[in-house]
Amino acid sequence: MADQTATPLTDEEREELEALRAEKARRAEEERARVEREELEALRAEQERVDAEILAERAAEQRAARKAPAAQDASSRPAPQPAPTSSPKEKTFGERMVTSSTVDDDGIPTMPVAQKIIIAVALVAVVAFIIYTATR
């Protein structure tokens, strides 16, 4: 058995090896194509779902717009104000961390929570570094 690995392959063995390698490559290509088709189908289904949600939202907005009272003259009533999107209930956690809903006396928004946290952590790090260098 030891001398079988040391001897070179015969022409028949070499052809068989090439045929097996080709078959293995063909199967791997078929598997890759199958996986890509499945991924494409999943992405198409997700896109269709998102498109359906968007269409449903638009239809709901159109129904709401049609239900609005049309009895008043458009020129006599004030322009509708868009709904405020900055209420804390509608914001995500990340939006609440990096935006501020309050304004100080100058009309400048107050410091967001994330900025306050970053400053506090930086101050603690500076104090720790000073203590570390002073004790060494």
Side-chain angles (χ1 to χ4, degrees):
M1 206 176 237
D3 46 72
Q4 278 186 351
T5 59
T7 59
L9 296 176
T10 64
D11 289 338
E12 291 175 358
E13 290 173 329
R14 200 172 301 279
E15 287 176 16
E16 181 182 1
L17 178 63
E18 291 299 320
L20 290 173
R21 285 180 179 164
E23 177 66 20
K24 181 180 178 182
R26 185 188 62 79
R27 287 182 183 171
E29 181 64 26
E30 287 177 354
E31 178 64 20
R32 187 186 61 75
R34 183 189 63 77
V35 168
E36 286 179 349
R37 276 192 300 276
E38 288 175 357
E39 182 181 5
L40 178 62
E41 290 172 6
L43 290 172
R44 283 181 179 161
E46 181 180 351
Q47 183 64 43
E48 288 176 7
R49 182 185 55 78
V50 169
D51 290 345
E53 288 176 3
I54 291 171
L55 289 175
E57 289 175 6
R58 286 183 184 165
E61 289 173 0
Q62 289 175 355
R63 282 192 301 270
R66 278 186 257 142
K67 288 182 181 178
Q72 294 180 345
D73 183 34
S75 61
S76 65
R77 69 177 180 202
Q81 296 294 327
T85 58
S86 62
S87 69
K89 293 180 182 176
E90 295 177 10
K91 290 183 181 179
T92 64
F93 174 76
E95 291 171 335
R96 288 192 310 266
M97 289 297 287
V98 298
T99 59
S100 177
S101 58
T102 59
V103 178
D104 61 6
D105 297 334
D106 298 335
I108 300 172
T110 58
M111 192 181 306
V113 178
Q115 188 175 357
K116 292 176 184 177
I117 292 171
I118 290 170
I119 290 171
V121 169
L123 288 174
V124 168
V126 167
V127 169
F129 179 73
I130 290 171
I131 293 171
Y132 175 76
T133 55
T135 58
R136 286 198 49 94

